[in-house]
Amino acid sequence: MPQLKYEQIADYLRARITEGEFGPGDLLPSSRELTEQFGVSRATVIKAMDVLRNDGAVVARQGAGFTVVETPVARPAGRRSSHDRVTHGRPYERLGVPTKEVPPQRVAEAMQLPEGARALRRARLVLLDDGGPFTLVIAWFPLDVADACPRLGMKGPIAEGTTNYVARCIGRSPMRGVDVHTVRLAAKEEAELLRLSQPAAVAVTLHTAYDQDGRALVCEEGVTSGDLWELTDSYTMVASS
């Protein structure tokens, strides 16, 4: 299906942000410049900017237009029914450098990887409003996805979010998500990063996103202190006859 104009504009700006042409705090082209460049109405440009705001990639500056976010946001693992990263997004720290490793068995099974196959590992620590640790998220990407999306292997954050970046690079978007919730004791490294005294109970969310052909795009394991983890479901209840 051909992209709509506002989607083309959003993708164009995403690419320029991700590739570093516009850095944190930089002012994006004005609405007038974009309307002339793409031959569209101002309303179409505003719609494109709304998409980028929901991505958590840009913010509006009173009287100045839109700038690239200075503090990117990320969501905990799971809760991917919406592409709006701002609603559940929080500031985060990127931990270490992405590496290619053999993932834990539960991750390999969720990603349908053969035994001993490696995947790209990216780690982030999502923060509370006061800067303290909220949840540790380890994201695993199949190597075919990682190799086609080179910025996944770089240390810095991806302002547009990995989901949008992967979709732009390989044309595959998540169509189905599976979240598995369990409880266990924190491992030593997890307890240190989350500032927990051991033994400490943690809630674990294993989130896997699959494309329309059922191929895994990413598997994330989110580890959160039992004192902070909460899951709320809202749904329609129909009385039986």
Side-chain angles (χ1 to χ4, degrees):
M1 180 183 296
Q3 278 191 316
L4 298 175
K5 279 291 187 179
Y6 78 89
E7 294 173 324
Q8 293 178 22
I9 297 169
D11 274 359
Y12 167 77
L13 293 172
R14 280 194 192 108
R16 296 179 72 182
I17 293 169
T18 295
E19 297 307 321
E21 185 174 345
F22 294 113
D26 286 352
L27 185 66
L28 294 178
S30 67
S31 295
R32 176 177 295 180
E33 290 175 294
L34 292 170
T35 57
E36 293 177 355
Q37 180 177 349
F38 287 90
V40 296
S41 67
R42 186 171 181 272
T44 299
V45 172
I46 291 174
K47 192 170 184 179
M49 291 302 185
D50 284 342
V51 170
L52 294 177
R53 279 202 290 188
N54 287 337
D55 287 349
V58 306
V59 293
R61 297 296 185 199
Q62 185 68 33
F66 290 88
T67 62
V68 180
V69 294
E70 297 193 44
T71 305
V73 297
R75 290 178 289 184
R79 299 184 181 185
R80 293 296 193 271
S81 59
S82 168
H83 291 299
D84 184 348
R85 295 172 62 221
V86 175
T87 301
H88 297 293
R90 293 176 179 270
Y92 69 99
E93 295 177 1
R94 178 65 57 197
L95 301 178
V97 177
T99 55
K100 294 180 179 179
E101 304 176 14
V102 176
Q105 182 177 353
R106 61 190 176 279
V107 173
E109 290 175 352
M111 298 173 71
Q112 303 166 357
L113 296 178
E115 185 175 355
R118 295 189 304 163
L120 181 71
R121 178 186 185 274
R122 286 172 60 92
R124 66 180 183 267
L125 186 64
V126 183
L127 305 174
L128 295 167
D129 292 339
D130 63 4
F134 174 56
T135 183
L136 171 65
V137 181
I138 308 297
W140 298 88
F141 296 86
L143 289 190
D144 64 321
V145 173
D147 291 343
C149 306
R151 290 197 67 86
L152 291 177
M154 300 180 186
K155 182 179 179 180
I158 299 174
E160 66 179 286
T162 55
T163 299
N164 284 320
Y165 174 60
V166 168
R168 265 197 315 107
C169 288
I170 65 176
R172 293 163 54 194
S173 297
M175 299 298 291
R176 181 174 67 94
V178 176
D179 293 347
V180 179
H181 304 288
T182 55
V183 177
R184 60 170 169 78
L185 293 178
K188 180 180 179 181
E189 181 182 8
E190 294 168 344
E192 290 174 352
L193 288 169
L194 295 173
R195 301 178 191 172
L196 303 175
S197 299
Q198 289 187 288
V202 290
V204 181
T205 297
L206 190 71
H207 163 77
T208 311
Y210 301 93
D211 67 12
Q212 63 181 8
D213 297 321
R215 295 175 295 173
L217 293 169
V218 64
C219 182
E220 293 185 337
E221 184 178 53
V223 181
T224 308
S225 167
D227 294 338
L228 297 175
W229 189 84
E230 179 181 79
L231 176 63
T232 301
D233 284 334
S234 177
Y235 47 87
T236 301
M237 297 180 67
V238 180
S240 58
S241 58

